[in-house]
Amino acid sequence: VPGAIVNVYPNPFNDKATFELQNVAEGQKTLRLLDISGKVIYSQTVYNKQFILERKNLNGGFYFYEISSEGTKIATGKLVVE
């Protein structure tokens, strides 16, 4: 989505990372984490412009994230779990 801004911190992270969305409409969104092969390994439904991703069972490594709303990608980026 043009103008959408996503801040993720800390990145890399150990226990949890905070996502902050700017210039994005209110409503339900989906956060998906993909491994380097493109396989979806985690999905979370979020409703706020700020939310937390907890590490839980994520292995350390490099991931891609996608944030979408109703099937439309809002933003993508990279995330590192230590």
Side-chain angles (χ1 to χ4, degrees):
V1 171
I5 298 170
V6 179
N7 294 311
V8 182
Y9 58 88
N11 189 9
F13 77 99
N14 283 314
D15 298 319
K16 60 185 176 181
T18 301
F19 283 73
E20 289 183 350
L21 308 177
Q22 298 175 7
N23 303 327
V24 174
E26 295 288 334
Q28 180 177 326
K29 295 164 203 56
T30 302
L31 166 69
R32 297 187 328 155
L33 289 184
L34 299 89
D35 65 15
I36 58 172
S37 70
K39 179 182 174 187
V40 176
I41 56 143
Y42 179 81
S43 182
Q44 175 180 337
T45 300
V46 296
Y47 297 91
N48 299 316
K49 289 187 176 185
Q50 181 175 354
F51 56 91
I52 293 176
L53 169 67
E54 294 186 12
R55 179 176 184 162
K56 296 183 182 179
N57 296 325
L58 289 174
N59 292 325
F62 182 82
Y63 298 92
F64 297 101
Y65 66 82
E66 294 179 351
I67 301 171
S68 61
S69 177
E70 298 179 7
T72 300
K73 283 185 191 177
I74 296 172
T76 60
K78 302 171 192 169
L79 188 63
V80 178
V81 178
E82 292 186 314

